[in-house]
Amino acid sequence: MEFRLGELFCGPGGLAYGAKHACIDNPDFKIVHKWANDYDKTTCDTYIRNICPDNPSSVICEDIHYLDIEALGDIDALAFGFPCNDFSVVGEQLGFKGKFGPLYTYGVEALKTYQPQWFLAENVGGLQSANEGKAFSKIAKDLKKAGYRIYPNLYKFEDYGIPQARHRVIIIGIREDLPFEFKIPAPSRIYRTCKDAIENPPIPENAANNEKTRQSPTVVARLNYIKPGQNAFTATIPEELQLNVKGAKISQIYKRLDPSKPAYTVTGSGGGGTHIYHWSEPRALTNRERARLQTFPDDFVFEGSKENVRRQIGMAVPAMGAKLIFEAVLKTFAGISYTSVDANLNDF
């Protein structure tokens, strides 16, 4: 069975790459790209280049507020990693009152319009506690009302062999008239270190998106006092190199990776010491190194400026993490058993 996949808020293609490369023992079950939407031009260019170079018109680059959902075309599956700005644990947690909070409703509209057999919805781990838990409860209720049984779970991707501590709420939904029951795939608990991901194999010299960031002499001097795993506030740094910060001290400021562990969460930011910093060299990671932590292959080329690429990589779903979840969905429909665990999120 071939599932035609539509995507809203598609980003650069982390979910799409995982879907496209999902493979199970029954080759008749696979996922193919049908259409996708995002509002950012360079992000759409990245998606087209890597996911559907032969069908660029299938990617609609448009603000979703103005998107004609009914004109997109029939699909068998839907993926939407709706923007997480207002559900993040960092910031004001505006939730439904924020600009981005209600954007999940466009995914609900697409479900009602096309009634695909299943869907995958993704958001940050903070979704479960946003608005005192009311945000997740409301979203779950609306997804059910659209006609789906839902299977939410907080995936800790480092437990699945992704070389990064990245926690995301992912909801699988199966249309309620279908007899399939999704089970949460069991984590491997085989941990891959950030050092192994970046160095094994070595990044080719001609790899795209591998330009180094120029570090000022002050930043280089400061980093030389910060040991692996430390940040600007936990390291012993001379007074002249210390940061003059009052109030909350964010732990990821000038934080160097610990080469013996998965990386901390890759984000789209970079200013003010929020780059991810190499464990031994006094510098920020390149975008290609960051992409390695997000499990994108080296031939996955990101379009746009260095800053725009950094943002694309930071907002993506880890490609191999998406792949293993999509494979669990395919196995569910193919009737292939796999090792599973109980969900760690309640179905409200």
Side-chain angles (χ1 to χ4, degrees), residues 4-302:
R4 299 166 298 167
L5 179 69
E7 277 192 88
L8 299 176
F9 317 107
C10 65
L15 283 174
Y17 187 91
K20 186 176 180 179
H21 291 84
C23 179
I24 63 172
D25 288 341
N26 187 334
D28 292 336
F29 286 79
K30 58 184 177 180
I31 305 168
V32 297
H33 164 79
K34 178 65 183 291
W35 50 254
N37 162 255
D38 203 278
Y39 75 97
D40 181 73
K41 177 63 166 59
T42 51
T43 300
C44 290
D45 289 343
T46 296
Y47 188 103
I48 291 168
R49 175 169 184 156
N50 295 280
I51 304 301
C52 54
D54 297 329
N55 190 14
S57 63
S58 66
V59 180
I60 301 93
C61 189
E62 188 174 331
D63 186 326
I64 199 162
H65 293 94
Y66 310 107
L67 182 67
D68 184 358
I69 287 179
E70 293 186 356
L72 294 171
D74 287 337
I75 51 174
D76 307 297
L78 175 71
F80 57 110
F82 53 100
C84 60
N85 307 55
D86 290 329
F87 294 130
S88 175
V89 294
V90 178
E92 298 180 69
Q93 286 195 314
L94 297 173
F96 287 102
K97 295 180 181 178
K99 179 179 179 182
F100 296 102
L103 291 183
Y104 82 93
T105 59
Y106 290 91
V108 174
E109 182 181 345
L111 291 175
K112 291 179 177 178
T113 300
Y114 296 111
Q115 285 289 289
Q117 296 183 51
W118 56 270
F119 72 81
L120 182 153
E122 177 266 343
N123 203 270
V124 293
L127 174 61
Q128 60 185 321
S129 58
N131 298 85
E132 300 177 339
K134 295 177 182 177
F136 182 75
S137 180
K138 169 65 173 169
I139 291 169
K141 182 179 179 180
D142 287 349
L143 292 171
K144 289 179 178 180
K145 287 175 66 176
Y148 291 82
R149 294 187 304 279
I150 65 170
Y151 306 88
N153 191 61
L154 178 65
Y155 289 83
K156 297 182 178 181
F157 280 114
E158 66 271 28
D159 290 345
Y160 289 86
I162 305 303
Q164 175 195 171
R166 194 177 190 89
H167 301 169
R168 290 295 184 268
V169 171
I170 291 180
I171 304 169
I172 296 297
I174 295 180
R175 206 172 64 208
E176 58 187 4
D177 65 309
L178 298 175
F180 308 104
E181 291 289 337
F182 180 77
K183 297 185 181 299
I184 308 303
S188 65
R189 302 204 184 279
I190 298 173
Y191 297 93
R192 190 178 188 200
T193 68
C194 56
K195 183 177 188 294
D196 181 59
I198 289 173
E199 293 187 346
N200 186 25
I203 295 175
E205 289 187 8
N206 62 346
N209 310 120
N210 201 36
E211 307 87 357
K212 291 184 178 179
T213 298
R214 290 185 179 180
Q215 311 287 183
S216 71
T218 300
V219 168
V220 171
R222 181 180 295 124
L223 287 171
N224 281 328
Y225 284 97
I226 300 174
K227 297 177 181 178
Q230 291 184 335
N231 62 47
F233 307 113
T234 59
T236 302
I237 300 175
E239 185 175 354
E240 66 272 15
L241 294 174
Q242 292 177 9
L243 298 178
N244 184 19
V245 176
K246 296 180 180 179
K249 295 180 179 179
I250 300 175
S251 65
Q252 292 189 5
I253 299 295
Y254 291 107
K255 185 172 183 179
R256 301 189 78 160
L257 294 171
D258 183 335
S260 67
K261 298 178 180 178
Y264 55 91
T265 305
V266 175
T267 69
S269 60
T274 58
H275 285 285
I276 298 178
Y277 293 88
H278 199 276
W279 57 89
S280 63
E281 300 175 26
R283 63 172 179 85
L285 295 189
T286 68
N287 278 328
R288 180 50 54 192
E289 290 169 331
R290 293 161 65 93
R292 282 254 180 128
L293 298 178
Q294 284 278 55
T295 62
F296 285 99
D298 291 342
D299 60 1
F300 192 105
V301 178
F302 294 85

